[in-house]
């Protein structure tokens, strides 16, 4: 029955890939290119490992990193997980002359919207963090997922705050984004001679995306700096255009598991991933989330990616080391000028050591930037943290932005 299900799934994938487009088309303004990136909620574990690990067998990361890992048949349950990422963490937490940090001032400002001067100062300080190009302020991810015997089902949600600036500072703009995602996946392991095995898997996900128009300083001041004591989010969003739509991307993965803990993985990611969007105002989005009322429509291109990775993992109950090396987006890399900087832009390297079956220590390098992480696994409760730098420019070294991620998980995931 497993093999029949896998054959049917592969046929569906092949049929869908006929309509997939490599690269973007019907491009919108470059201001919004960041929201077209495929929704991949990288776990704190992988962020601490330099975003590497697509060839590591098992784990709930298989939902988005490599569906072939579902072939291991591991049981996983998250009820739920919550993950928060703050970018520019040092800038947010650094104390000013008044003894308060920007984060303290933001929390105070949320509690008191009547002080318009304080609201304006917070907005100025916040935009002052932004450099030219793309960036982020925060990510919030949550989800419920279940895997067993090769099958996987999950529901996820995300909220992000992007930044974009031509120069930086006060010309910066903020873009709010949210995703609601349902994922269905299946994987199967084929046993091969000489202790080899082949894991094959695929996931298909329904992704509903919504994002706001770019909001600059003047609009933000109008929203939050009016001194209103009865401020409501509906008032802030009134008159702001929102873009919303859906996509049905497919990921296909293969893992070759070899003796002595070695594995090699390949993932074709974001097949058929383009978004079918419509333009709304806030009220019409609530009344008509799929844009059936004849509003303006467009297609938001989202790139196909072909990723590869190798990993080594030694299973031992007291000391389990893992090493992973990934090269991501071969298609994009082949379209760029050849050179070390191009290669570094697509290279992720990471390592993890699990001690006594409950403590994880991690380190890695992604696109030339280092990362550190740690995890505490108390069976039904798991906490992971990572501090890392992420490239937001075109190539490695253009614009690195630091982030701090904390993930809390209730459930079972070994």
């Amino acid at each position: 029955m497993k093999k029949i299900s896998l054959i049917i799934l592969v046929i569906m994938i092949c049929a869908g890939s006929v309509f997939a487009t490599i690269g973007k088309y019907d491009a919108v303004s470059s201001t919004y290119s960041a929201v077209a990136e495929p929704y991949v909620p990288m776990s704190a574990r992988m962020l601490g490992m330099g975003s590497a690990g697509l060839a590591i067998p098992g784990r709930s990361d298989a939902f988005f990193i490599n569906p072939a890992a579902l072939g291991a048949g591991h049981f996983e349950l998250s009820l739920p997980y919550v993950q928060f990422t703050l970018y520019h963490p040092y800038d947010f937490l650094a104390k000013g002359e008044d003894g308060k940090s920007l984060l303290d001032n933001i929390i105070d400002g949320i509690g008191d919207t009547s002080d318009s001067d304080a609201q304006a100062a917070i907005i100025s300080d916040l935009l002052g963090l932004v450099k030219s190009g793309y960036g982020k302020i925060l990510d919030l991810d949550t989800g419920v997922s279940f895997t067993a015997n090769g099958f996987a089902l999950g529901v996820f949600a995300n909220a992000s705050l992007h930044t974009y600036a031509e120069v930086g500072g006060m010309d910066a703009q903020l873009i709010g984004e949210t995703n609601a995602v349902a994922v269905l996946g299946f994987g199967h392991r084929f046993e091969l001679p000489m202790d080899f095995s082949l894991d094959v898997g695929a996931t298909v996900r329904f992704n509903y995306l919504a994002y706001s128009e770019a909001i600059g300083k003047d609009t933000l001041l109008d929203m939050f700096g009016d001194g209103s004591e009865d401020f409501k989010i509906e008032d802030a969003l009134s008159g702001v255009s929102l873009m919303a739509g859906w996509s049905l991307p497919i990921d296909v993965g293969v893992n070759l598991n070899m003796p002595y803990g070695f594995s090699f993985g390949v993932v074709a990611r974001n097949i058929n991933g383009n978004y079918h969007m419509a333009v709304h105002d806030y009220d019409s989005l609530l009344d008509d989330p799929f844009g059936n009322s004849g509003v303006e429509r467009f297609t938001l291109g989202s790139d196909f990616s072909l990723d590869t990775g190798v990993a080594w993992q030694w299973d031992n109950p007291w000391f389990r080391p893992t090493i992973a090396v990934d090269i991501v987006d071969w298609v994009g890399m082949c379209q760029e000028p050849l050179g070390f900087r191009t290669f570094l832009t697509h290279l992720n390297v990471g390592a993890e050591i699990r001690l006594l079956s409950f403590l994880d220590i991690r380190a890695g390098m992604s696109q030339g930037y280092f990362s550190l992480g740690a995890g505490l696994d108390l069976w039904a409760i798991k906490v992971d943290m990572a501090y890392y730098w992420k490239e937001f420019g075109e190539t490695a070294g253009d614009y690195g932005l630091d982030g701090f991620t904390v993930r809390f998980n209730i459930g079972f995931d070994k």
Side-chain angles (χ1 to χ4, degrees):
M1 185 62 189
K2 281 186 178 181
K3 293 182 180 180
I4 294 174
S5 301
L6 183 63
I7 291 171
I8 294 173
L9 188 57
V10 169
I11 292 173
M12 293 172 62
I13 291 165
C14 292
S17 66
V18 172
F19 301 99
T21 302
I22 297 177
K24 297 180 180 180
Y25 64 94
D26 289 348
V28 296
S29 167
S30 61
T31 304
Y32 302 101
S33 295
V35 299
E37 295 296 322
Y39 174 64
V40 181
M42 197 73 71
S43 69
R45 180 202 184 203
M46 291 195 66
L47 290 170
M49 294 178 62
S51 300
L54 71 85
I56 298 175
R59 310 291 298 215
S60 60
D61 296 333
F63 266 107
F64 290 98
I65 307 306
N66 186 356
L70 294 170
H74 291 173
F75 174 80
E76 174 271 330
L77 179 66
S78 291
L79 292 171
Y81 84 87
V82 178
Q83 179 170 293
F84 177 76
T85 299
L86 179 68
Y87 297 90
H88 308 271
Y90 176 81
D91 297 322
F92 270 94
L93 298 175
K95 300 292 184 180
E97 294 181 357
D98 59 355
K100 288 189 174 183
S101 67
L102 175 56
L103 186 60
D104 292 331
N105 292 333
I106 290 174
I107 293 173
D108 292 342
I110 292 174
D112 180 14
T113 60
S114 62
D115 189 343
S116 58
D117 291 336
Q119 298 288 326
I122 291 171
I123 291 170
S124 296
D125 290 343
L126 187 62
L127 295 181
L129 302 178
V130 180
K131 298 181 180 179
S132 62
Y134 300 110
K136 268 192 176 183
I137 298 295
L138 60 84
D139 281 318
L140 178 62
D141 294 277
T142 186
V144 177
S145 61
F146 169 78
T147 68
N149 203 29
F151 290 92
L153 178 65
V155 179
F156 304 87
N158 156 269
S160 299
L161 186 61
H162 299 267
T163 64
Y164 179 79
E166 293 288 344
V167 178
M170 291 304 101
D171 84 314
Q173 298 173 304
L174 304 183
I175 303 169
E177 176 192 359
T178 184
N179 288 271
V181 184
V183 183
L184 179 65
F186 177 71
H188 181 69
R189 171 166 291 181
F190 297 90
E191 298 294 342
L192 303 175
M194 302 177 62
D195 294 327
F196 284 76
S197 63
L198 185 69
D199 294 334
V200 180
T203 56
V204 58
R205 59 185 184 270
F206 175 79
N207 191 160
Y208 186 79
L209 165 70
Y211 63 94
S212 71
E213 66 175 301
I215 302 172
K217 180 181 178 180
D218 293 339
T219 304
L220 288 170
L221 289 173
D222 290 341
M223 286 180 174
F224 300 101
D226 60 359
S228 173
E229 295 183 358
D230 56 350
F231 170 78
K232 296 180 180 180
I233 190 63
E234 293 87 348
D235 299 330
L237 293 174
S238 178
V240 174
S241 294
L242 300 174
M243 281 58 69
W246 60 274
S247 68
L248 200 67
I250 298 168
D251 294 347
V252 183
V254 177
N255 263 1
L256 177 62
N257 306 305
M258 297 171 277
Y260 307 109
F262 291 94
S263 56
F264 172 74
V266 180
V267 183
R269 197 185 312 282
N270 206 40
I271 299 170
N272 194 45
N274 296 302
Y275 292 93
H276 306 278
M277 307 294 295
V279 181
H280 305 257
D281 58 37
Y282 177 74
D283 295 328
S284 71
L285 179 62
L286 295 180
D287 296 335
D288 184 22
F290 290 95
N292 295 316
S293 59
V295 294
E296 180 184 350
R297 299 173 182 272
F298 65 97
T299 300
L300 186 62
S302 186
D303 287 346
F304 165 87
S305 176
L306 182 65
D307 305 341
T308 60
V310 294
W312 172 76
Q313 183 172 277
W314 180 39
D315 282 324
N316 185 290
W318 308 108
F319 177 79
R320 188 184 72 185
T322 302
I323 299 174
V325 180
D326 294 352
I327 298 178
V328 299
D329 191 15
W330 280 91
V331 174
M333 184 169 63
C334 292
Q335 295 172 347
E336 299 170 8
L338 296 177
F340 176 74
R341 193 172 177 180
T342 296
F343 176 74
L344 193 63
T345 301
H346 297 265
L347 176 66
N348 296 331
V349 180
E352 176 187 69
I353 298 176
R354 166 158 285 203
L355 302 172
L356 304 177
S357 299
F358 72 91
L359 177 63
D360 297 317
I361 301 173
R362 307 174 182 117
M365 182 185 73
S366 176
Q367 300 178 308
Y369 298 99
F370 290 100
S371 61
L372 295 171
L376 187 63
D377 190 349
L378 302 177
W379 196 74
I381 298 176
K382 187 170 184 180
V383 181
D384 292 289
M385 295 180 291
Y387 179 73
Y388 56 95
W389 288 77
K390 183 178 179 180
E391 180 59 66
F392 279 84
E394 293 294 328
T395 59
D398 283 349
Y399 172 31
L401 183 60
D402 61 329
F404 179 73
T405 297
V406 178
R407 174 179 169 129
F408 180 78
N409 188 86
I410 299 176
F412 183 84
D413 179 15
K414 298 297 182 181

